[in-house]
Amino acid sequence: MRDTNNSTAAPNYTAACIVMFGVNLMWVLMVIWAVWGFVVAALAGWIVNHLITRIATQRG
């Protein structure tokens, strides 16, 4: 059985999550740019920016 008295708090991975979101967004936009061109990649970036702004305004 596991001893529950020696448990520590879970590590905070928020910064790592934000960094990896940026890395993944960058490579996805690069693939879109390579396949369909700059205009579609710019439009996708604008849509992601709009969604992030909308989420931020809803949270207050």
Side-chain angles (χ1 to χ4, degrees), residues 1 4 10 13 18 20 23 30 43 50-51 55-56:
M1 246 189 187
T4 58
Y13 290 116
I18 292 170
M20 287 311 299
V23 169
M30 293 296 279
L43 182 64
H50 179 72
L51 291 173
I55 290 169

Side-chain angles (χ1 to χ4, degrees), residues 20-55:
M20 287 311 299
F21 175 77
V23 169
N24 287 328
L25 180 63
M26 185 179 70
W27 77 258
V28 167
L29 288 174
M30 293 296 279
V31 168
I32 290 172
W33 188 352
V35 173
W36 291 296
F38 176 75
V39 175
V40 177
L43 182 64
W46 179 79
I47 290 170
V48 169
N49 182 39
H50 179 72
L51 291 173
I52 291 171
T53 304
R54 195 165 131 188
I55 290 169

